[in-house]
Amino acid sequence: MQDEVFNELADLALKGAGTSIPKSKAYLIEARLAPIARREGFGSMEDLVHCIKSRANPAFISEIAAALVSKDTRFFRERETLQRVLAEVLPARLKASNTGRLKIWFAGGSTGQEAYSLSILLEDELPAALRGAKIEILSTDICKVSTEKARISRYGHYDIQKGLSIHRLTKHFTRLETGQWEASEALRGHVSFRQHNLLESAAGLGKFDVIICRNVLSGMARSARVSVIDNLAHQLMPGGLILLGQGEGLIGLTEKLEPARDFRGAWVAAGTANAAASAA
């Protein structure tokens, strides 16, 4: 790939999605944009860039930026964290609620596997303390294709075998004639999906008790991480938690959040770590 082409597409990913792609990983650009290139009949990345520059199309440019974001996800990623959210965090949040309603947001949820993982736990391991609670799960992603796949809730064998036990697969999914596996109505009933760019304000999504944004920030430029964290912090209910992936931290990125004591990888509004720790 020519340097000029790489620079054009890497800059587009940075501006449109906050994604930072180093030159050493130029192959990721070709791999992630190959489906779009085939669909549009482009013979090369050079042809794609020429089209972008000669016929500016905001919707197409946004689609390309979204396609350049990593889609790495699987069922029950960081299983223990999800189980702790279910067993400890949500019951504590319910006690603090005067509505009986709990809201969880998977920010950058890709094709929905992690949101459906929590939905499975709600079906299989619901604590007595949460019975009767109205629990809503929202999963958002910048990519329209990923969001639609999550909403349809149909997965191929490769996706299904990553993280799901045979027991849970046969209990919560139905094998279709196409060979795909479709999530049950019960699982889909807990979760909703929306397309959303984390660089933009999330005010329209409402406030959340728990925000799960894992393995998203690590692929972003520093300025983008600052913007995303600021947007997430605005949507956190008092006493709520933001959960990041392993190895992801916010030190030096924000003064609005601080690590939650006794819950590794969790962040709370500055000045509330003690309260969050006792709740969790």
Side-chain angles (χ1 to χ4, degrees):
M1 182 186 299
Q2 297 177 357
D3 287 348
E4 181 181 354
V5 173
F6 168 80
N7 292 336
E8 188 75 28
L9 294 173
D11 186 59
L12 190 154
L14 182 62
K15 291 179 179 178
T19 303
S20 177
I21 304 177
K23 187 66 168 66
S24 61
K25 294 187 177 181
Y27 63 90
L28 290 177
I29 291 180
E30 298 199 49
R32 292 172 181 175
L33 295 185
I36 294 176
R38 286 195 298 268
R39 185 194 73 199
E40 299 296 327
F42 297 128
S44 66
M45 291 298 108
E46 288 79 2
D47 292 340
L48 189 152
V49 168
H50 176 73
C51 176
I52 293 172
K53 296 174 72 173
S54 61
R55 292 181 294 161
N57 183 327
F60 186 50
I61 291 174
S62 295
E63 181 185 6
I64 292 173
L68 289 171
V69 175
S70 172
K71 308 296 189 297
D72 183 28
T73 187
R74 61 182 178 270
F75 289 98
F76 289 100
R77 190 175 205 169
E78 299 180 29
R79 179 193 304 264
E80 292 182 359
T81 297
L82 287 181
Q83 290 176 320
R84 189 170 181 186
V85 166
L86 182 69
E88 302 176 21
V89 177
L90 293 183
R93 294 297 302 150
L94 185 62
K95 286 182 179 179
S97 170
N98 57 9
T99 65
R101 182 185 183 193
L102 297 170
K103 296 184 64 179
I104 303 100
W105 176 21
F106 284 85
S110 189
T111 44
Q113 285 96 316
E114 293 181 70
Y116 280 125
S117 296
L118 182 56
S119 184
I120 289 172
L121 292 180
L122 289 176
E123 290 294 307
D124 292 351
E125 303 178 18
L126 185 71
L130 291 179
R131 290 173 188 166
K134 175 64 174 177
I135 302 175
E136 302 173 8
I137 304 171
L138 172 67
S139 180
T140 68
D141 196 81
I142 188 176
C143 181
K144 180 179 180 180
V145 173
S146 295
T147 303
E148 286 303 313
K149 180 177 179 179
R151 186 177 291 118
I152 294 171
S153 72
R154 295 177 182 177
Y155 299 95
H157 178 72
Y158 177 75
D159 295 323
I160 284 294
Q161 70 178 356
K162 294 182 0 182
L164 271 183
S165 67
I166 293 297
H167 170 70
R168 279 178 163 155
L169 172 60
T170 56
K171 179 179 179 180
H172 297 291
F173 292 80
T174 300
R175 184 74 178 270
L176 304 177
E177 293 182 359
T178 61
Q180 292 179 303
W181 292 85
E182 182 178 64
S184 67
E185 289 187 12
L187 291 192
R188 298 199 303 270
H190 294 297
V191 191
S192 61
F193 298 92
R194 286 183 61 173
Q195 184 180 4
H196 174 71
N197 188 336
L198 294 178
L199 294 178
E200 300 173 357
S201 169
L205 302 180
K207 300 281 187 175
F208 297 88
D209 296 278
V210 179
I211 298 175
I212 302 174
C213 184
R214 297 188 298 200
N215 308 295
V216 174
L217 297 177
S218 57
M220 290 184 162
R222 187 183 190 282
S223 59
R225 296 200 302 270
V226 170
S227 294
V228 169
I229 287 303
D230 188 59
N231 288 334
L232 297 184
H234 274 106
Q235 305 314 125
L236 195 63
M237 288 185 183
L241 293 174
I242 293 179
L243 297 173
L244 304 180
Q246 293 182 358
E248 292 183 314
L250 304 181
I251 301 300
L253 296 178
T254 180
E255 296 181 354
K256 295 180 179 180
L257 301 169
E258 63 184 17
R261 298 175 187 175
D262 299 326
F263 199 146
R264 187 174 183 179
W267 295 74
V268 298
T272 64
N274 284 324
S278 62

